[in-house]
Amino acid sequence: MSHSANAAIAEKPASTLRGASLPKWSPWAIAAGSVAVAIGIGLAAGLDSKVQWGLIAGLIFLGATYVIAAAVEGRRQAKDRIATGLVWVAFLVAVVPLVSLVWVTISRGVKVLDVYFLTHSMGIVADSQPGGGIYHAIIGSLEQVGLATLIAAPIGILTAIYLVEYGRGKLARAVTFFVDVMTGVPSIVAGLFILSLMLIFELEPFGFAGSLALAILMMPVVVRSTEEMLKLVPNELREASLALGVPKWRTILKVVLPTSIGGITTGIMLAIARITGETAPVLLLVFGNRFINNNPFEGAQQSLPLYIYQQYAAGADASYARAWAASLTLIAFVMILNLVARGIARWKAPKTGR
């Protein structure tokens, strides 16, 4: 073969099986165009709600994505892009209300949120007057949630251990059934149950009564999360320990629990975050208090959710500001709990390296 023929073969481009495809920046360009068109439609139609503009933009984005992708890449790839677009639109639909809620809470809550607000109670300050704080509500919430955790966490963990490691037969099925039922019990029902006991024994409202109701709400969450974490522990670890002659209770204590402690702790933290914002049981059992009460076993107490409800129900500008500031404090507390749970989960996660 001559040298010129070899050169011609070398210069011929290699064939490829890849078809035509849209550039990587095409979704962003389609999204920008969809937003511009949606704004134009909204202004022309006189739509004042930005939510309507967003929904129109989402529909235009999905339709334009399918049409353009089908023309360039084919219908099969267009369907794939539509599925991806639906995921992104659903994500934005879920995130936008959350961001809006956080933004409104921060913008309104920072007006009175300062050191004075965090270190003083309402005392003799009327709801219609400026001033006062949430120190008494913070103390009440910490004590009530802390006592509820001390009650619910051990019971929930031990129940989950029984269901996973020992539970067989009718008793285990009955426990599982009642845990499922308790998971869906409204918070007001738990409060009414404790209230009926208080009426039977002629007890006055006190903080520990709220802790009992919160513990009832917390236990099924702890049981379910702990049960799932224990099921993730490989059976080979249990069998290896038992093969060495280690008793089952010691295998659970030294092998199973340490392996799943990160997930168990995360579940407990999430359960605490779940009960921290409960208002109905506290309203029935704790009753609220404008002054500081450090004793949860005697006298009415305050809590952050109840404080927010009472301040917003007062209807004054000053009480509205205090309600938003207390809401911001409660959101920050729950966020800190979630961050702590994630940190503990990473710290206690099993090491996967060699």
Side-chain angles (χ1 to χ4, degrees), residues 65-254:
T65 298
Y66 181 80
V67 172
I68 296 173
V72 177
E73 301 175 332
R75 292 186 177 181
R76 183 176 182 180
Q77 187 65 21
K79 293 178 181 179
D80 179 76
R81 288 188 177 272
I82 281 292
T84 304
L86 284 172
V87 172
W88 278 102
V89 170
F91 169 75
L92 292 176
V93 169
V95 167
V96 168
L98 176 62
V99 174
S100 176
L101 172 64
V102 173
W103 171 253
V104 171
T105 305
I106 292 175
S107 61
R108 297 188 180 186
V110 296
K111 295 179 180 179
V112 297
L113 184 60
D114 52 18
V115 176
Y116 179 87
F117 182 75
L118 295 174
T119 56
H120 287 75
S121 66
M122 289 301 294
I124 59 174
V125 179
D127 290 336
S128 58
Q129 297 176 342
I134 59 171
Y135 180 75
H136 59 311
I138 294 176
I139 293 297
S141 287
L142 290 177
E143 291 181 349
Q144 293 159 29
V145 172
L147 290 172
T149 304
L150 291 177
I151 297 171
I155 296 176
I157 292 174
L158 293 175
T159 302
I161 292 175
Y162 167 76
L163 292 175
V164 175
E165 304 293 338
Y166 297 98
R168 300 292 185 273
K170 295 183 179 180
L171 179 58
R173 290 194 294 269
V175 172
T176 302
F177 172 76
F178 283 111
V179 169
D180 292 336
V181 171
M182 289 178 62
T183 303
V185 169
S187 59
I188 190 67
V189 175
L192 289 173
F193 172 70
I194 301 300
L195 180 62
S196 64
L197 297 179
M198 292 174 59
L199 294 177
I200 292 175
F201 294 101
E202 299 181 354
L203 299 175
E204 297 293 329
F206 62 109
F208 185 66
S211 299
L212 294 176
L214 295 178
I216 293 174
L217 299 174
M218 184 178 176
M219 270 188 283
V221 180
V222 176
V223 172
R224 273 285 166 254
S225 60
T226 304
E227 187 178 359
E228 294 302 322
M229 290 301 104
L230 294 177
K231 288 180 180 179
L232 292 177
V233 178
N235 284 328
E236 289 78 4
L237 295 178
R238 298 180 175 89
E239 293 170 356
S241 178
L242 294 174
L244 294 174
V246 180
K248 188 169 185 177
W249 68 269
R250 196 171 183 84
T251 299
I252 296 172
L253 187 63
K254 296 294 185 179

